[in-house]
Amino acid sequence: MAKEMTCIVCPIGCQLTLEPEGESFAVFGNKCPRGKKYAIEEMIAPKRVITSTVAVDQGMYPVISVKTQAPVPKELIFDVMQDLSSVLMKAPIQVGDVVIKNVQGTGVDVVATRNA
Amino acid sequence: MLKYELVVIGGGPAGLSAAVEAYEQGVRKILILERDKELGGILNQCIHNGFGLHRFKEELTGPEYSLRYIDLVKDTTIETLTDTMVLEISEQKVVRAISAERGYMEIEAKAVVFSMGCRERTRGAIQLQGDRPAGVFTAGTAQRFINMEGYMPGKRVVILGSGDIGLIMARRMTFEGAKVEAVCELMPYSNGLTRNIVQCLDDYDIPLMLSHTIVKVHGKARVEGVTIAKVDENFKPIPESFKRIDCDTVLLSVGLIPENEITQNAGIAVDTRTSGPKVGELRQTEMEGVFACGNVVHVHDLVDFVSEEGALSGKGVAKYLKGELETTPNFSTANSDGIGYVVPQTVNLSNVDDQVTFYMRVRSVYDKHIVRAYQGDTLIAEKKERKFLPAEMVNFKIKKEILANLADGEIRFVVEEV
């Protein structure tokens, strides 16, 4: 049976239609190849980039923004948030600095997204 | 008195892009004035990713996106003053500003770029009924509190309005352990990008209640709850549908308004449709040597287009300073059925390289429709999309050679059924 979904890879938000095709799915309506990749991954193992903040000592602000460098399994979001809540970084920090290595065993690092 | 070729008012994505482009086009003495303590503007609090796909072909967070431009500025001789508030500009383009460090300043500018962005509509702007307790925030204020200042504004939240910032804050507050009870949207459709409905609400089972509003806020010292209601086709609350939701926080995501006090005080008329100054193809305003770009002109949905518009105004500044900017426009733009506004409001073809991008918004949701440009009854160009939504800005490009074949006059944009 065909399934409709909205692509969230970029702000265009293509309306996708998926039809089962063997082990995988045929994807229609995507304007770019990333849409196809997203749709299939979303059906099998949904992932998200997590963006949040961690506490920082001696920065311009008490927190700095961070992100997972790649999408991580959706069901791990709140575990990652839990890990982030115990981090205290010390300024100076450069954008791209690793905040947590291999977060939740995903193989993905959490990195700073601003300088402090 | 300080003297500059170009003074840019506002160091967010529009102003940074304008300054960088003007510099690349040969303007050397440039000053950016920013009232916050760092450059980057509102992007600094937009820590979610998804920025820069058009511009950089990758997905950046807000601070990463602004850092790209801040780094570009650092490689130039462009000067910046932060913690500096512009009060007004005079008819002679003297910019008057204050800062704690330098006191009062007068800066003589040959050209000025307005890039002051926009402001959120507040509780007062929508006349929200009920008590006046603590705990009612605009979504952007809550965003700054959580993402920059390190405060959590509340634990149990109702959001009014489905603008993008509201949707993103629904997810963000959920991440931080809050419970978002509902997002109420007055219109029968959302005002946010579809992808944000999916990844901010659907992902976390947060209900989006279309054709719903908050009719009353309860609580004396702190918000204790709200009464919500379904509205009829005239947006009137239906009494039988009143329902109380307990919460300690209300976030408002009910629209943005370009911030044009400086513009108006300078005697520059503001277009009632965009709430921004009327601009030409290179974002020149009706005051000679004054340009405007970004959300101060009209509220954009993507920062990539803000940067694009900033670059256009930077080009305009360079042309103007070289004495090459043609002033009398060939065309004016108009919106009719289904189109809310069109930017730019005028076009002078001799300032155009190869095409003009017209930005516009539709008034309602349109399926199986097309946007067309006409001069009189003559069809000039058309733009197809699967669907037109008020939340998504329409980008309508027309080639210079097509416009060059037209008589001077009005170009009218309209939504038509196919």
Side-chain angles (χ1 to χ4, degrees):
Chain A
M1 203 184 76
K3 190 176 158 54
E4 300 277 327
M5 70 166 74
T6 305
C7 181
I8 61 167
V9 172
C10 89
I12 294 170
C14 294
Q15 278 303 315
L16 308 176
T17 310
L18 279 80
E19 275 168 20
E21 191 185 63
E23 296 283 283
S24 188
F25 298 88
V27 182
F28 304 96
N30 53 311
K31 286 182 181 156
C32 79
R34 304 191 319 152
K36 182 176 176 173
K37 186 169 169 275
Y38 163 77
I40 292 170
E41 196 167 84
E42 186 68 9
M43 292 303 289
I44 297 162
K47 286 180 175 178
R48 298 287 182 268
V49 168
I50 303 173
T51 60
S52 187
T53 57
V54 296
V56 60
D57 193 23
Q58 290 172 9
M60 184 188 265
Y61 292 101
V63 293
I64 59 154
S65 54
V66 300
K67 69 173 180 187
T68 57
Q69 223 166 9
V72 298
K74 207 172 135 183
E75 70 266 18
L76 290 177
I77 289 175
F78 290 93
D79 299 314
V80 172
M81 285 303 297
Q82 195 65 45
D83 291 354
L84 290 175
S85 68
S86 56
V87 172
L88 177 63
M89 301 281 285
K90 197 170 158 44
I93 298 160
Q94 291 295 309
V95 64
D97 284 359
V98 174
V99 175
I100 300 178
K101 218 172 161 45
N102 185 18
V103 68
Q104 289 286 324
T106 53
V108 175
D109 296 344
V110 176
V111 296
T113 55
R114 65 169 286 162
N115 300 333
Chain B
M1 195 178 341
L2 297 165
K3 285 187 182 178
Y4 286 86
E5 282 181 284
L6 169 61
V7 172
V8 177
I9 304 175
L16 292 170
S17 169
V20 167
E21 181 66 27
Y23 184 87
E24 276 175 15
Q25 303 267 340
V27 182
R28 281 296 169 267
K29 198 117 174 72
I30 302 176
L31 175 66
I32 301 174
L33 301 174
E34 167 56 47
R35 71 178 167 193
D36 206 343
K37 55 187 173 189
E38 59 182 339
L39 295 173
I42 294 303
L43 281 178
N44 287 330
Q45 69 186 48
C46 301
I47 65 165
H48 54 281
N49 71 326
F51 297 97
L53 252 145
H54 294 258
R55 197 81 189 161
F56 297 113
K57 307 287 172 228
E58 56 181 309
E59 270 192 89
L60 304 170
T61 66
E64 289 173 323
Y65 186 99
S66 61
L67 200 59
R68 295 276 171 112
Y69 274 94
I70 294 168
D71 287 345
L72 286 176
V73 167
K74 279 192 185 134
D75 291 339
T76 67
T77 57
I78 298 169
E79 295 168 55
T80 59
L81 279 178
T82 50
D83 259 326
T84 302
M85 178 82 188
V86 172
L87 304 170
E88 62 174 13
I89 79 160
S90 75
E91 277 168 41
Q92 292 74 37
K93 293 195 287 286
V94 173
V95 179
R96 304 192 170 108
I98 46 166
S99 82
E101 201 178 300
R102 296 184 168 219
Y104 176 76
M105 286 170 272
E106 291 199 332
I107 308 155
E108 206 178 282
K110 286 187 183 144
V112 177
V113 168
F114 288 154
S115 47
M116 295 87 81
C118 58
R119 231 182 251 172
E120 293 181 283
R121 291 173 78 205
T122 60
R123 177 171 183 173
I126 56 162
Q127 301 179 359
L128 187 57
Q129 293 294 301
D131 299 325
R132 292 283 184 276
V136 181
F137 304 92
T138 61
T141 299
Q143 189 178 45
R144 179 159 179 127
F145 280 165
I146 299 177
N147 294 347
M148 293 175 75
E149 318 271 356
Y151 299 118
M152 186 62 180
K155 286 278 168 211
R156 210 171 161 191
V157 192
V158 172
I159 299 177
L160 178 59
S162 59
D164 287 311
I165 317 171
L167 299 176
I168 284 177
M169 288 313 293
R171 173 179 62 183
R172 184 74 186 112
M173 292 196 75
T174 306
F175 276 10
E176 292 293 348
K179 172 103 175 71
V180 180
E181 300 288 345
V183 175
C184 295
E185 169 59 53
L186 184 69
M187 305 304 281
Y189 51 84
S190 165
N191 276 307
L193 299 171
T194 316
R195 72 185 297 245
N196 284 336
I197 309 270
V198 175
Q199 62 180 350
C200 297
L201 301 187
D202 298 354
D203 266 11
Y204 307 98
D205 298 320
I206 298 166
L208 172 63
M209 306 177 78
L210 298 173
S211 298
H212 273 75
T213 190
I214 296 178
V215 289
K216 201 163 185 185
V217 175
H218 308 280
K220 286 284 175 237
R222 176 81 197 191
V223 173
E224 287 163 13
V226 293
T227 298
I228 66 164
K230 194 169 170 42
V231 297
D232 63 20
E233 58 273 22
N234 300 313
F235 307 118
K236 238 185 92 167
I238 302 164
E240 300 78 54
S241 70
F242 281 29
K243 186 179 137 192
R244 172 152 173 154
I245 301 179
D246 289 336
C247 60
D248 59 24
T249 304
V250 176
L251 295 191
L252 304 175
S253 183
V254 290
L256 303 162
I257 304 168
E259 187 164 353
N260 277 293
E261 283 77 8
I262 295 171
T263 318
Q264 281 172 303
N265 289 340
I268 299 170
V270 162
D271 184 339
T272 49
R273 293 169 299 176
T274 55
S275 303
K278 287 182 185 164
V279 288
E281 70 296 330
L282 292 176
R283 299 306 181 264
Q284 62 273 43
T285 70
E286 60 182 37
M287 185 170 165
E288 197 202 298
V290 177
F291 297 74
C293 57
N295 282 355
V296 84
V297 178
H298 60 123
V299 177
H300 297 59
D301 40 7
L302 302 184
V303 70
D304 307 67
F305 299 133
V306 168
S307 299
E308 198 172 289
E309 194 169 275
L312 269 181
S313 72
K315 272 197 186 92
V317 167
K319 250 190 189 338
Y320 169 73
L321 291 175
K322 284 181 213 151
E324 291 169 3
L325 188 76
E326 295 290 337
T327 48
T328 324
N330 305 95
F331 304 107
S332 62
T333 58
N335 55 313
S336 48
D337 296 357
I339 303 279
Y341 70 76
V342 183
V343 168
Q345 284 85 350
T346 59
V347 175
N348 181 304
L349 264 197
S350 39
N351 299 325
V352 174
D353 290 336
D354 59 333
Q355 63 182 8
V356 183
T357 305
F358 296 93
Y359 294 128
M360 63 200 72
R361 265 178 212 282
V362 295
R363 286 182 200 275
S364 181
V365 177
Y366 293 102
D367 243 334
K368 296 194 180 69
H369 276 67
I370 195 162
V371 176
R372 291 197 169 111
Y374 286 98
Q375 189 172 57
D377 294 329
T378 314
L379 177 67
I380 304 166
E382 53 187 30
K383 167 106 182 172
K384 278 183 206 137
E385 285 288 347
R386 253 177 105 129
K387 201 172 193 181
F388 290 100
L389 304 167
E392 294 180 10
M393 202 166 76
V394 181
N395 250 330
F396 196 129
K397 294 179 179 8
I398 304 183
K399 290 258 176 245
K400 184 178 181 174
E401 63 243 36
I402 294 175
L403 294 171
N405 285 326
L406 300 177
D408 288 6
E410 190 180 84
I411 301 173
R412 189 169 45 90
F413 294 87
V414 58
V415 184
E416 287 179 349
E417 225 174 319
V418 281

